[in-house]
Amino acid sequence: MTGAGLAVREATVRFGPTEALSDLSVSVAPGEIVAVVGPSGCGKSTLLRCIAGLQPLDRGSVLWDGVDLAMVPTHRRDIGLMFQDHALFEHRSVRDNVGFGLKMRGRKAAERDRRIDELLELVGLGGFGNRAIPSLSGGEAQRVALARALAPSPRVLLLDEPLGSLDRARREHLVGEIRSVLREVGQTALHVTHDQDEAFAVADRIAVMRSGTIERIGTPERVWHDPGTAFVAEFLGHNVISTPEGPAAVPADAYRLVPTNGLEPGPPAVVFDVRFRGDHTVVTVDTAEGERVRLRTGEPTSLRPGDAVGVEIDPERVTPLGEDPNPA
Amino acid sequence: MRPRSGSPLVIGLLPLAFLAAFFVYPLAALFVEGFRFGPDEIGGVFSRSRFWRTAWFTVWQAVVSTAVTLLISLPLSAVVGRYRFRGRSVLLALVTVPFVLPTVVVASAFLASLERLGLADRFGNSAAVIIAAHVFFNVAVVVRTVGGYWRGLDDRPEQAARVLGAGPIAAFRHVTLPRLRPAILAATSIILLFTMTSFGVVLLLGGPRRGTLETEIYRFALNRTDFGTAAVLAIVQLVAVLGLLVVNSWLARRLTQRERRGATARPRPRGRQWLGIAAAVVPVMVFLTVPMSALVERSFRSGGSYSWANYRALTDRPPLLPVDGVTALSNSVRFAVAAMAIAVGVGVAASVVIASSSRAAHLRPSRAERAMGWVLDVGLLLPLGTSAVTLGFGFLVALDEPVDLRPTWIIIALAQSLIGVPFVVRAVVPVLRSIDGHVREAAAALGASPSVVRREIELPMARSAIGVGAVFAFAVALGEFGATSFVGRSPDRMTVPLAIGQLLGQPGQQLRGQAMALSTILMVATIVVIMIIDRNDRAGVL
């Protein structure tokens, strides 16, 4: 784990009797984007604050290229930080916001101006330099915050729910934009969000957090197809069913609904709820095995609650789950 | 890790030293002075009938002033709190002007109106005129406290009561009035405090035979140079005021803790409601505008006709007065500017400490920082509640050691700034507190050290609040009378309020005309200041 880039090692943070982080370890290689997801209160923002030096660790360490940062205060850590509420400096213009980090690093005015223009161009706000902060829309403010964080080329960019305050459509649009901007500059980044779609859209690797520890980490594909624990499977929206070999995860789209003709060997499943979601429909059924599962179908359906229906599973997509490391 | 330079603990040293040297030390010296008296002499002070007459009048006039103020101001508060109409902000501004007028100006205005209305013989030097003047400048306290609180109240409980069958009067009595109680109590205790410590109005309107503890301290200390008796009286006053301050801060806390949110949009008045509004507003407006207009009118009247003569005469030195009016004006401005500078320096430093000590626990203000924040928060408000006369007397007794400040004019600026600091703190602290923690953290992440964050982010964001506090401190210093009477006694330090006080004390129409001219100038300056503050005041200092 000691290598280039950012590493958090066995970090523990206590708030009174509760542990916000317990023995958490994670590393981010140079140029890599890692997304940390988890339910609210799982400690993901605390992890960010520790890396930023805003929250002291009770145990463990934060390292950069193998060097411990414990004695380095926030303003010398060379990090970028982006918040949900933008945290822009309202008394300064867009230019001055973006240029703030450069000024703190003692860059010359001419160099600053060049870099500011470059960054505003990059986030699609060319010509916005002299605008006042209160005149910006939510999306624009978010881009300024991104430009400001990127301007000094920080070693690592920390994003704390950066898009939480935007509506869904704008969020999806900006997620794509953030990813391409981060890629373009090869930015190392740690992106904290509660929204798994956002995490999947941005990250090279995804870490799923649960009560202060990382329960699963890997590429989006791997975490999706092999969630490892029931907690992660459920967090991703998979069904957890029991099989003779033990619990297993089944994604909602791994099922197929088939009409029942009453000739099947076993009793059919019964529809509990049908929810039309636009491009797909979520059908919740109670199976003959007594489990309630959510399944997802792209085809139109005329099922109603109480209908009997046959359910087939794609056996390829049933993934056995390991033992739960920390049962709830 | 701490304290480093630029940490709140280091910054807090300046206001803490200021508080210790210019508030705690002078008051302590008063105690020493008072207890230099033996038990017999102290007993002697209390056995005089004059003491009990004074104490009784102090309390009596304060209670009556407060009751009358509440009586005429509550209907006005209802109008301000319940309706939205054109002219509402004008109404509020008009109510506010008397509150910020210097006390000598209020006294001049009432003398001018007694003269104009031909009531001088009947009501001159009466308790009634003192009470009227107290009501005059305290209406604003009720209207702003109760009316403002009323406006912020959620309407739905009243609506629920109405739906449950309560008529408008029953809904008011059983729902609205109990909800308004903390605001009414807070206003009541503030007015009691103000009227008990009122000095200029009582001295100038009450005549030589009527006195409160304030004027008695002044007379014993300066007219009779009986410092011992004056100090004993000052201690009595301090204890009484401290009691009121404790009650007041407890009430103020309740005021902010209670329900507030959910301000409902207020309706425009209709039909018969206008009648009720007029009945509440018009008499009070007449009462507030008559003295001010009488003052202006009197300032232009000279020998039976209107002219600038009284103003022109300000360049000549009147007999019995050490300086001419123009010199007094320039002295006043000079001292007030210095007082403002001191108040801003001390007040901003204190605000930084107070704001950072009350931050959320995870930002870890240390225990020492919290303690210092609390001491400054409470300590710097005390001079506002303490009577100006007591402060001035303390300065006179104490500040000859270790360095004798009494011969220098800085002592005036110091005394005046002591009363200005709380306004700076009240303006700046809420703004500093409102700066989002994330903004600070974002700045730190971008490479700004804590002191750079303060300089580049916090103070610029608080700039307009600092301006409001500064202007307020300037206005307070400009009109200060009680403390300045003690420390501004030498001729070259005469300020406008002192000059007005002396001119009013002399016989003669011409001198009185000059006093009115100076008062009018001071009043106009105060109104300009209010307008500046009103435009920029986000924290609600006014």
Side-chain angles (χ1 to χ4, degrees):
Chain A
M1 283 255 277
T2 353
L6 175 75
V8 175
R9 273 215 218 131
E10 294 164 2
T12 298
V13 170
R14 283 186 211 92
F15 294 129
T18 57
E19 279 194 352
L21 295 184
S22 20
D23 266 344
L24 180 145
S25 297
V26 66
S27 62
V28 184
E32 188 187 27
I33 304 174
V34 173
V36 178
V37 291
S40 43
C42 70
K44 42 189 203 305
S45 288
T46 306
L47 171 62
L48 258 192
R49 300 180 67 81
C50 289
I51 297 169
L54 297 166
Q55 171 68 54
L57 294 170
D58 288 315
R59 218 177 46 238
S61 49
V62 175
L63 312 166
W64 181 264
D65 289 351
V67 180
D68 193 334
L69 298 181
M71 297 311 288
V72 182
T74 302
H75 63 280
R76 302 233 175 77
R77 287 199 179 189
D78 194 15
I79 45 168
L81 190 55
M82 196 177 153
F83 292 109
Q84 172 173 348
D85 55 12
H86 333 308
L88 294 174
F89 309 139
E90 299 213 346
H91 60 297
R92 290 162 172 263
S93 65
V94 167
R95 281 201 88 71
D96 285 354
N97 267 274
V98 177
F100 188 85
L102 300 166
K103 196 172 152 198
M104 290 300 118
R105 285 162 176 76
R107 304 284 166 74
K108 298 251 161 33
E111 189 194 338
R112 286 208 305 261
D113 285 345
R114 211 172 46 242
R115 180 81 179 136
I116 293 168
D117 290 334
E118 193 182 311
L119 259 302
L120 286 177
E121 216 50 64
L122 183 68
V123 298
L125 291 180
F128 270 62
N130 294 322
R131 290 276 293 272
I133 298 302
S135 74
L136 301 178
S137 73
E140 287 163 356
Q142 215 46 275
R143 287 159 204 239
V144 174
L146 180 62
R148 181 179 71 176
L150 289 174
S153 312
R155 298 191 290 204
V156 58
L157 176 65
L158 307 171
L159 305 112
D160 190 359
E161 303 268 5
L163 304 175
S165 60
L166 299 175
D167 59 64
R168 185 159 195 89
R170 200 164 310 204
R171 199 158 76 208
E172 277 175 11
H173 179 71
L174 257 175
V175 164
E177 222 164 86
I178 287 185
R179 177 170 173 95
S180 65
V181 167
L182 295 186
R183 283 272 159 261
E184 198 171 328
V185 298
Q187 180 67 53
T188 311
L190 195 73
H191 183 126
V192 158
T193 173
H194 65 277
D195 184 302
Q196 48 158 312
D197 292 340
E198 197 176 308
F200 276 93
V202 167
D204 298 316
R205 282 194 300 151
I206 285 184
V208 181
M209 270 188 80
R210 177 191 191 184
S211 38
T213 55
I214 289 176
E215 188 139 319
R216 196 72 170 164
I217 185 164
T219 61
E221 293 77 14
R222 179 161 166 247
V223 172
W224 179 265
H225 292 302
D226 184 12
T229 68
F231 172 82
V232 175
E234 277 167 0
F235 182 78
L236 296 173
H238 296 348
N239 294 295
V240 176
I241 61 170
S242 38
T243 65
E245 290 79 36
V250 186
D253 60 346
Y255 292 92
R256 225 160 61 84
L257 291 171
V258 291
T260 171
N261 49 20
L263 300 174
E264 287 86 358
V270 177
V271 175
F272 175 73
D273 185 36
V274 181
R275 285 286 157 91
F276 177 65
R277 288 280 181 82
D279 58 352
H280 66 274
T281 303
V282 174
V283 182
T284 311
V285 300
D286 292 323
T287 64
E289 289 78 26
E291 284 172 323
R292 180 166 289 175
V293 299
R294 272 164 25 96
L295 49 92
R296 194 182 148 131
T297 170
E299 283 143 37
T301 173
S302 57
L303 289 171
R304 326 193 87 221
D307 289 352
V309 70
V311 172
E312 287 178 3
I313 304 182
D314 178 355
E316 294 275 290
R317 303 195 53 198
V318 176
T319 320
L321 295 171
E323 282 300 299
D324 193 337
N326 15 252
Chain B
M1 294 194 271
R2 290 170 180 181
R4 292 183 287 253
S5 72
S7 99
L9 282 180
V10 177
I11 295 171
L13 289 179
L14 168 73
L16 212 56
F18 177 81
L19 195 61
F22 302 118
F23 183 67
V24 179
Y25 170 54
L27 292 192
L30 274 189
F31 271 86
V32 171
E33 189 72 33
F35 287 111
R36 192 174 294 167
F37 263 21
D40 291 348
E41 287 158 302
I42 293 178
V45 173
F46 292 109
S47 65
R48 275 180 234 164
S49 70
R50 179 167 172 174
F51 171 80
W52 294 107
R53 208 170 56 231
T54 305
W56 167 241
F57 183 67
T58 306
V59 174
W60 175 84
Q61 62 81 24
V63 170
V64 174
S65 299
T66 307
V68 176
T69 310
L70 283 172
L71 204 69
I72 72 163
S73 314
L74 283 177
L76 207 57
S77 309
V79 170
V80 167
R82 294 182 53 181
Y83 296 107
R84 178 169 57 103
F85 53 93
R86 197 191 280 268
R88 187 181 162 276
S89 55
V90 177
L91 181 73
L92 268 178
L94 203 94
V95 166
T96 308
V97 170
F99 177 63
V100 280
L101 283 185
T103 52
V104 286
V105 174
V106 174
S108 300
F110 272 82
L111 288 175
S113 20
L114 285 184
E115 204 179 302
R116 180 76 239 176
L117 301 170
L119 298 171
D121 294 337
R122 265 179 69 199
F123 288 104
N125 294 346
S126 69
V129 72
I130 293 178
I131 289 165
H134 282 166
V135 173
F136 175 77
F137 68 74
N138 281 316
V139 168
V141 177
V142 182
V143 173
R144 297 195 82 105
T145 314
V146 181
Y149 187 74
W150 205 329
R151 200 170 174 71
L153 279 186
D154 187 350
D155 260 357
R156 281 170 297 185
E158 277 77 12
Q159 288 161 0
R162 294 299 298 277
V163 170
L164 290 168
I169 294 170
F172 177 78
R173 243 191 66 204
H174 296 295
V175 183
T176 312
L177 198 57
R179 295 173 77 201
L180 290 176
R181 223 175 58 166
I184 296 175
L185 286 176
T188 305
S189 78
I190 293 173
I191 298 176
L192 277 176
L193 189 65
F194 284 167
T195 48
M196 270 183 60
T197 59
S198 160
F199 172 63
V201 161
V202 181
L203 186 76
L204 299 174
L205 292 179
R209 297 202 46 245
R210 213 173 284 281
T212 57
L213 276 174
E214 288 288 286
T215 58
E216 287 291 284
I217 295 168
Y218 173 84
R219 284 178 184 138
F220 273 102
L222 295 183
N223 297 352
R224 301 188 172 194
T225 53
D226 178 356
F227 276 23
T229 306
V232 172
L233 294 178
I235 293 167
V236 173
Q237 173 81 321
L238 259 179
V239 171
V241 160
L242 210 64
L244 267 174
L245 274 178
V246 170
V247 173
N248 187 258
S249 79
W250 179 71
L251 288 171
R253 204 165 318 128
R254 276 193 23 179
L255 199 61
T256 49
Q257 270 173 7
R258 285 286 189 100
E259 42 178 350
R260 277 226 73 166
R261 306 255 159 245
T264 336
R266 300 298 172 193
R268 292 184 182 283
R270 277 176 308 166
R272 274 180 37 210
Q273 290 171 340
W274 278 114
L275 274 178
I277 291 179
V281 173
V282 173
V284 182
M285 287 304 111
V286 171
F287 173 63
L288 295 184
T289 42
V290 162
M292 292 191 274
S293 358
L295 170 64
V296 177
E297 193 256 1
R298 179 67 183 81
S299 76
F300 286 104
R301 191 144 45 81
S302 164
S305 62
Y306 294 115
S307 68
W308 288 95
N310 292 327
Y311 291 86
R312 249 183 256 118
L314 293 179
T315 52
D316 308 325
R317 190 169 74 80
L320 301 169
L321 215 60
V323 296
D324 59 90
V326 174
T327 311
L329 268 169
S330 87
N331 280 347
S332 271
V333 171
R334 180 160 50 109
F335 302 155
V337 167
M340 174 178 82
I342 298 170
V344 167
V346 172
V348 169
S351 302
V352 166
V353 181
I354 294 169
S356 75
S357 72
S358 60
R359 254 175 229 151
H362 72 264
L363 293 166
R364 306 210 167 178
S366 67
R367 188 168 295 205
E369 272 171 47
R370 280 166 189 273
M372 186 183 254
W374 184 85
V375 167
L376 290 176
D377 196 9
V378 176
L380 288 174
L381 277 177
L382 286 179
L384 197 62
T386 316
S387 83
V389 164
T390 311
L391 286 179
F393 186 29
F395 266 48
L396 191 64
V397 171
L399 295 186
D400 56 340
E401 282 175 338
V403 185
D404 193 358
L405 289 174
R406 292 180 307 180
T408 68
W409 62 268
I410 287 293
I411 193 170
I412 303 178
L414 283 169
Q416 294 176 345
S417 70
L418 202 55
I419 307 165
V421 170
F423 292 101
V424 177
V425 171
R426 271 185 62 184
V428 176
V429 167
V431 176
L432 288 182
R433 275 193 186 139
S434 75
I435 297 174
D436 180 57
H438 282 169
V439 170
R440 267 186 217 100
E441 292 170 3
L446 288 165
S449 67
S451 58
V452 173
V453 172
R454 206 163 286 135
R455 199 181 61 228
E456 298 275 333
I457 308 296
E458 297 191 336
L459 291 184
M461 289 178 92
R463 194 164 49 193
S464 106
I466 294 173
V468 166
V471 171
F472 224 124
F474 176 80
V476 169
L478 203 61
E480 212 291 321
F481 182 58
T484 315
S485 325
F486 283 83
V487 291
R489 307 253 303 160
S490 71
D492 56 316
R493 300 195 215 151
M494 174 134 294
T495 64
V496 173
L498 292 193
I500 294 172
Q502 295 221 357
L503 287 170
L504 289 178
Q506 316 287 347
Q509 284 302 308
Q510 211 210 329
L511 292 184
R512 184 164 268 210
Q514 287 188 37
M516 297 299 167
L518 277 176
S519 296
T520 305
I521 293 173
L522 213 48
M523 180 169 84
V524 170
T526 311
I527 291 174
V528 169
V529 164
I530 294 185
M531 280 162 44
I532 296 174
I533 292 173
D534 206 39
R535 285 199 162 181
N536 301 294
D537 186 13
R538 276 202 301 146
V541 188
L542 206 66

